[in-house]
Amino acid sequence: MPRFRRLSSAQPGRFPPVETGPRVLFNSIQFPLFLAIVFVLYWSARRAPLQAQNTIVLAASYVFYGWWDWRFLGLIAGSSLLDFFLGLQVHKQRAPTKRKALLAMSLLVNLGGLAIFKYLGFFVASTAELLTSLGLQPNLPTLHIILPVGISFYTFQTLSYTIDIYRRKIEPTRDIVGFLAFVSFFPQLVAGPIERAAALLPQFLVRRQFDVTKAKDGLRQILWGLFKKVVIADNLSGQVRAIFDGYASLDGVALTIGALFFALQIYCDFSGYSDIAIGTARLFGFNLTRNFAFPYFSRDIGEFWRRWHISLSSWFRDYVYIPLGGSRLSTASRIRNIVITFTVSGFWHGANWTFIVWGLLNGLYYIPLMLANKRPPDTVVAVGRLLPSLNELIAMMITFALTLIAWVFFRAESLTHAIQYLWRGVSHPWLGLDLSGYGPGLIACAILLALEWFQRDKQHALELSQVSVLPRWFTYISVALAIFVFGHLGATEFIYFQF
Amino acid sequence: MTLPSTDNQPAAPAHGVAAADTTSRTLMRFSARILGFAVVFVIAGELFFRFAIPAAELPISQFNAEYKFRRYDPAGPRTGRFTSGRYAQAQGVWRVNDQGWISHRDYLSAKARGKPAVAYLGSSFVEGFYSDLDTHIAARMEHRAGGKYDVYNFGMSDSVPSEHLRVAAYAAKAFEPRVLFFFCSSWHLAASLSPAPGRQRWRLEGGRVVDRPVSPLRSGRIKALAKRSAIIRYLVLNAHWRPKLAPANAGGGGTVLNAAQAGKGKARPVAELRLLAETMVRRAVAQHPGARVVVVTGGPYASDLPPQAPLVDQLLAQACRTYGAEHVDLLPAFHADWLQHHEPFQYAHDFHWNARAFDVIAQRLVAVVAAKPVVAAPVTP
């Protein structure tokens, strides 16, 4: 059995603030330089044939990705080419069986690659554990397989392309450069948003016009994403690690703070990445899917999943839940579909039981809503009001508390760790520990949530186009200075890169 | 859904020129706006990091072409405020004396001062940027010794043992100190092998240590401008931010070769460390006949005080016994003081020695000096 070196420094189930080497991370010094060069080249080619701009995007994306490890360029290029040609064939074929076979080939290759790179080690280890618990002594090899960064994201993106062609929702493109650029588009390549071909691919096939309003807002969104990542997420990560590692000596209050910090850490880390991705894409005239919509102001878990990692939630809805029968079946089948969808969603995050239980738990949270036939609210909370009503506040707090419990599983190293963490919090609610060390983190969380609350009907918290110039610029300068003063500037990796 | 085809769009739109000009102008305006923001941000940042959270100020390094070592330029800024920590928590006022060293006093020749002098050489750990001049080792030693002798500080940021020897040769000739304390942080011994401009470094050749040629230290305009920028000084000196354009320790740089880490990463083999320690001590003794050569070890440490001296310190102690130098291990003094006062010896945000450590060191070194009579250097008429 071949043995591979694990390349990704992040391991599923672990959240180290990884100090990285020379990579083009969004929060590294290289990124603004890279972005400026690509921006100039890209818009310089605006009068050339469209292929030129797409070629620049493609080259930039492959440089961006190859910076991590050039060996995986072959993987992404191979996967893209395969889906490009399969897409054409699926469209051309009339015979349903042949169409189905071609689709199956796409699924097999894409999901097979994902299974090998991401899950094989987990399955081998789990099998070994199972056999050992049965008294057998398995001699299975320990696999250390390199996890290509972003494989889960771009695999889902290419899958949606072939599936949508199969469903006759879209027609395939014959523009190979445009398609390759669509799959590898560097702003969203390694951690999404997971774009559908129907939404993003057409943008590669028409001439982009420079839109100054869009570009300016893109810069604001980049600034806000960077703030969330380097100021909030990276500063909380140390305390989260300390609390989760040392949970056995802490009380329920400290452990609740730990879960709260992790909830904010992962939100700021991931939504920060998404903001930078969306903002960067806007500089090049592209619109990416909104990925987060202030999820912690949700009034029920259904609304939460409409606001959290929207591109993934909708992907699972369209390609897993609905094909399983969706909501048109019996109650038992709907429950089964919900549980399957959420569990698979958990498993997508990583090869670890903690993610599976996290997904399962969210599925269980969803069932009462489904049974009550309650549709998640479509509007933002407390529209036109400064504060929420008491009912809204209670609903938001209950939803947030439920997500906190689930986040403990997501963050824990193992199921035992998660259960002991939760049990410790219940069995030792208050030991009179000195909690003053958590003060700055709590203040940072409160400030962040307050800012987002006031901007909850906007796309992001720095969308201040209605504000006059002076306070607006004062805000931008303050946020930029805060990044310098409070930010972790060592280019720590984004959590979602490991997925 | 039918996707559009790029085949139909080979070039710019038909109404081309006017539209393209508009886009060009928009792009120019956008770029100007970004530039405008950058200028406003730089101005705001320069003000903020000068007055609200003052960035550390540093004197300017100067290369002594005669002795080939670095010191500070007496023609440059003579005083300033060094801050450390993200919020400029620790602040100390520095002063560059006429001779180009951080000190509360100017250095005098043996004839002019008329009393003995003690010198110490080391890196930023003894240089004393982080605290006020009256708390420095030199000031504390003079105070504790009741002014019986002058204490001259020849500490310099980033200086390593190979460089200490260069500076010591100059110090001996210019000021004739009777006692020379060489602070050899276990972090720095192996760094003597890493080449750096303006610094005496060594290399290993056939199992021997030989001197690398010293290239002059040149400060380019960009570097000088960067040093003037409060934003850059804040990022580098207060936030300790180093853009990772190259892998850590690329080119053999870096000083994280603590003995405690021997065997890990790029740490040197013990035989090499022993050779470096022996070279350091042997050369120091040979270079300063008639003066007391005292090698000082004992920190600083990246974390808590270790229970016993790290390997490099032990190797240095052994070399001192072999070559007839004196050795002072500060670790017992730190342990004793910690047991009594429970006060840290390093800053919370930075592991350079603080004023407390300086006082403990001064106390220990004054005792070492007092153990043997200090005779003023013979004054030649």
Side-chain angles (χ1 to χ4, degrees):
Chain A
M1 184 66 76
R3 293 170 71 86
F4 299 95
R5 182 173 62 85
R6 177 179 282 280
L7 181 78
S8 170
S9 44
Q11 294 178 17
R14 304 185 66 83
F15 297 90
V18 187
E19 289 290 327
T20 61
R23 296 172 180 181
V24 192
L25 294 173
F26 283 168
N27 51 337
S28 69
I29 185 70
Q30 292 96 320
F31 184 69
L33 300 174
F34 172 82
L35 188 58
I37 292 167
V38 179
F39 182 85
V40 169
L41 288 175
Y42 179 84
W43 288 114
S44 300
R46 67 188 180 282
R47 291 177 203 166
L50 178 59
Q51 289 285 20
Q53 270 192 331
N54 284 346
T55 306
I56 290 168
V57 170
L58 178 62
S61 301
Y62 274 44
V63 167
F64 182 84
Y65 194 71
W67 214 297
W68 262 281
D69 195 311
W70 57 269
R71 291 170 297 176
F72 291 123
L73 287 174
L75 189 71
I76 190 170
S79 164
S80 310
L81 287 171
L82 181 86
D83 281 298
F84 177 77
F85 289 113
L86 282 177
L88 289 171
Q89 289 304 312
V90 170
H91 181 69
K92 206 165 85 177
Q93 285 295 335
R94 300 269 172 214
T97 47
K98 285 188 179 172
R99 285 167 50 76
K100 211 169 256 182
L102 289 166
L103 177 67
M105 191 190 292
S106 171
L107 290 172
L108 191 72
V109 172
N110 283 302
L111 294 178
L114 197 58
I116 290 169
F117 282 108
K118 194 164 175 176
Y119 300 108
L120 187 60
F122 170 74
F123 283 126
V124 171
S126 297
T127 308
E129 274 177 32
L130 180 69
L131 294 175
T132 307
S133 68
L134 294 173
L136 300 170
Q137 291 185 325
N139 190 19
L140 297 174
T142 305
L143 296 178
H144 297 286
I145 299 173
I146 302 167
L147 181 66
V149 175
I151 188 171
S152 309
F153 292 89
Y154 70 72
T155 299
F156 271 38
Q157 195 154 307
T158 52
L159 270 181
S160 76
Y161 174 72
T162 37
I163 295 172
D164 284 354
I165 291 172
Y166 175 80
R167 290 175 174 175
R168 303 243 184 250
K169 283 189 172 177
I170 58 168
E171 288 185 6
T173 176
R174 293 177 187 283
D175 178 358
I176 193 161
V177 174
F179 181 77
L180 291 175
F182 151 73
V183 176
S184 64
F185 188 38
F186 73 89
Q188 45 90 242
L189 172 59
V190 290
I194 300 167
E195 287 297 333
R196 306 296 177 78
L200 183 58
L201 187 54
Q203 297 183 50
F204 278 96
L205 306 179
V206 294
R207 184 168 297 283
R208 274 82 62 183
Q209 295 298 325
F210 182 74
D211 181 341
V212 72
T213 311
K214 196 194 257 189
K216 280 195 301 191
D217 197 54
L219 286 178
R220 288 185 202 113
Q221 199 158 359
I222 291 172
L223 185 65
W224 182 243
L226 201 57
F227 174 84
K228 283 197 282 188
K229 164 64 181 164
V230 302
V231 176
I232 308 289
D234 288 349
N235 277 308
L236 289 178
S237 76
Q239 293 204 307
V240 168
R241 194 183 326 110
I243 293 172
F244 273 79
D245 289 352
Y247 74 96
S249 59
L250 298 173
D251 62 20
V253 179
L255 297 179
T256 306
I257 291 172
L260 168 79
F261 281 179
F262 180 65
L264 268 294
Q265 182 202 345
I266 195 162
Y267 167 65
C268 289
D269 194 287
F270 192 22
S271 71
Y273 179 91
S274 294
D275 281 337
I276 299 171
I278 294 166
T280 304
R282 301 190 89 187
L283 289 176
F284 295 93
F286 290 92
N287 290 316
L288 297 184
T289 309
R290 189 182 193 187
N291 220 14
F292 289 85
F294 309 109
Y296 291 139
F297 303 138
S298 302
R299 285 150 287 186
D300 62 45
I301 212 74
E303 187 184 4
F304 177 82
W305 280 106
R306 284 183 173 215
R307 295 177 174 278
W308 178 276
H309 203 172
I310 298 164
S311 65
L312 181 73
S313 310
S314 59
W315 199 98
F316 275 105
R317 182 197 62 209
D318 294 347
Y319 298 105
V320 179
Y321 180 70
I322 292 174
L324 284 170
S327 305
R328 289 167 300 172
L329 304 171
S330 64
T331 304
S333 301
R334 280 159 58 204
I335 290 174
R336 181 203 63 196
N337 293 347
I338 286 287
V339 170
I340 289 174
T341 306
F342 274 103
T343 307
V344 172
S345 157
F347 197 48
W348 174 90
H349 283 83
N352 197 316
W353 288 104
T354 53
F355 295 127
I356 295 171
V357 170
W358 170 78
L360 184 64
L361 210 49
N362 276 288
L364 296 176
Y365 291 162
Y366 203 90
I367 290 170
L369 295 175
M370 195 194 69
L371 292 176
N373 218 6
K374 193 179 168 200
R375 285 186 59 78
D378 289 329
T379 55
V380 291
V381 63
V383 177
R385 285 177 282 135
L386 180 64
L387 297 172
S389 68
L390 187 60
N391 279 347
E392 286 169 333
L393 185 67
I394 290 169
M396 282 194 294
M397 287 176 75
I398 290 171
T399 308
F400 188 58
L402 290 172
T403 60
L404 282 193
I405 294 168
W407 284 134
V408 171
F409 284 90
F410 196 94
R411 173 59 179 80
E413 305 293 327
S414 64
L415 285 183
T416 315
H417 182 201
I419 291 163
Q420 286 175 344
Y421 185 100
L422 291 169
W423 176 244
R424 173 82 192 175
V426 175
S427 61
H428 298 79
W430 174 243
L431 297 174
L433 299 174
D434 177 17
L435 303 175
S436 58
Y438 304 128
L442 288 169
I443 291 169
C445 293
I447 291 171
L448 176 93
L449 290 174
L451 286 173
E452 295 222 320
W453 174 261
F454 290 119
Q455 294 289 88
R456 67 193 180 281
D457 56 344
K458 308 281 194 318
Q459 291 288 312
H460 58 88
L462 272 194
E463 195 182 309
L464 300 169
S465 40
Q466 307 303 318
V467 181
S468 58
V469 174
L470 272 179
R472 199 170 70 222
W473 275 57
F474 178 78
T475 308
Y476 302 152
I477 299 286
S478 302
V479 171
L481 282 175
I483 289 171
F484 274 51
V485 176
F486 303 110
H488 277 230
L489 301 169
T492 47
E493 253 182 20
F494 289 81
I495 291 176
Y496 260 67
F497 283 11
Q498 66 189 292
F499 306 135
Chain B
M1 178 183 176
T2 307
L3 294 173
S5 166
T6 48
D7 300 341
N8 304 330
Q9 306 173 42
H15 48 93
V17 182
D21 285 349
T22 310
T23 308
S24 296
R25 278 200 299 274
T26 313
L27 274 163
M28 292 298 284
R29 273 205 300 272
F30 179 69
S31 304
R33 222 179 165 90
I34 292 176
L35 197 66
F37 180 81
V39 169
V40 173
F41 176 72
V42 166
I43 292 168
E46 286 294 324
L47 292 172
F48 187 82
F49 291 121
R50 281 174 203 275
F51 301 109
I53 297 180
E57 295 170 334
L58 277 180
I60 295 168
S61 299
Q62 186 194 45
F63 185 67
N64 181 309
E66 187 186 351
Y67 285 90
K68 294 183 178 172
F69 65 80
R70 295 169 303 138
R71 63 181 172 186
Y72 294 112
D73 185 359
R78 295 294 290 264
T79 82
R81 180 173 293 275
F82 191 86
T83 64
S84 65
R86 282 271 176 160
Y87 317 117
Q89 299 97 311
Q91 304 197 357
V93 173
W94 49 262
R95 169 183 176 270
V96 175
N97 68 11
D98 288 346
Q99 289 70 39
W101 302 97
I102 302 296
S103 180
H104 61 296
R105 64 160 68 252
D106 294 324
Y107 299 164
L108 302 172
S109 66
K111 183 181 171 185
R113 70 175 177 263
K115 58 179 173 180
V118 165
Y120 62 87
L121 305 108
S123 62
S124 56
F125 296 116
V126 297
E127 186 177 31
F129 272 131
Y130 291 75
S131 56
D132 286 329
L133 291 161
D134 59 345
T135 67
H136 288 190
I137 296 172
R140 296 308 302 157
M141 281 181 76
E142 286 183 2
H143 176 74
R144 284 184 172 275
K148 285 183 202 159
Y149 46 82
D150 284 355
V151 182
Y152 293 171
N153 167 25
F154 294 98
M156 180 84 190
S157 291
D158 280 340
S159 184
V160 296
S162 54
E163 204 174 348
H164 299 347
L165 289 172
R166 277 271 176 194
V167 179
Y170 150 80
K173 189 169 178 192
F175 308 109
E176 299 172 72
R178 306 312 301 156
V179 185
L180 289 129
F181 289 104
F182 289 87
F183 281 82
C184 292
S185 155
S186 56
W187 293 62
H188 287 150
L189 185 65
S192 297
L193 293 173
S194 306
R199 297 149 161 91
Q200 176 64 67
R201 296 295 164 95
W202 296 331
R203 69 166 177 265
L204 297 172
E205 205 175 270
R208 289 184 317 120
V209 174
V210 294
D211 288 342
R212 289 179 189 271
V214 184
S215 58
L217 181 73
R218 290 195 182 92
S219 187
R221 280 186 182 178
I222 293 175
K223 203 171 172 184
L225 197 66
K227 279 183 179 173
R228 287 177 189 276
S229 161
I231 296 175
I232 293 175
R233 281 188 280 112
Y234 177 82
L235 286 174
V236 175
L237 299 167
N238 294 76
H240 298 295
W241 181 63
R242 298 172 71 185
K244 290 181 179 169
L245 292 169
N249 285 332
T255 54
V256 193
L257 289 162
N258 192 347
Q261 296 172 318
K264 281 186 195 170
K266 291 183 75 176
R268 301 274 175 189
V270 174
E272 252 176 42
L273 292 171
R274 178 177 291 114
L275 181 62
L276 294 176
E278 287 177 351
T279 304
M280 159 69 207
V281 178
R282 192 183 68 243
R283 288 189 181 189
V285 171
Q287 194 173 287
H288 303 287
R292 288 173 65 189
V293 169
V294 185
V295 174
V296 186
T297 62
Y301 305 102
S303 55
D304 296 338
L305 292 175
Q308 63 178 36
L311 178 66
V312 167
D313 295 6
Q314 293 175 34
L315 294 174
L316 283 162
Q318 208 171 10
C320 288
R321 286 194 292 277
T322 307
Y323 294 103
E326 294 175 55
H327 173 246
V328 174
D329 184 5
L330 295 171
L331 193 56
F334 284 135
H335 273 298
D337 192 80
W338 173 256
L339 285 175
Q340 205 176 343
H341 300 288
H342 282 277
E343 284 183 34
F345 304 113
Q346 291 154 240
Y347 294 97
H349 50 274
D350 182 305
F351 46 76
H352 281 85
W353 275 323
N354 61 14
R356 176 89 212 157
F358 285 162
D359 199 40
V360 173
I361 295 166
Q363 189 179 357
R364 181 75 185 92
L365 298 195
V366 165
V368 171
V369 175
K372 292 181 186 173
V374 182
V375 184
V379 177
T380 46

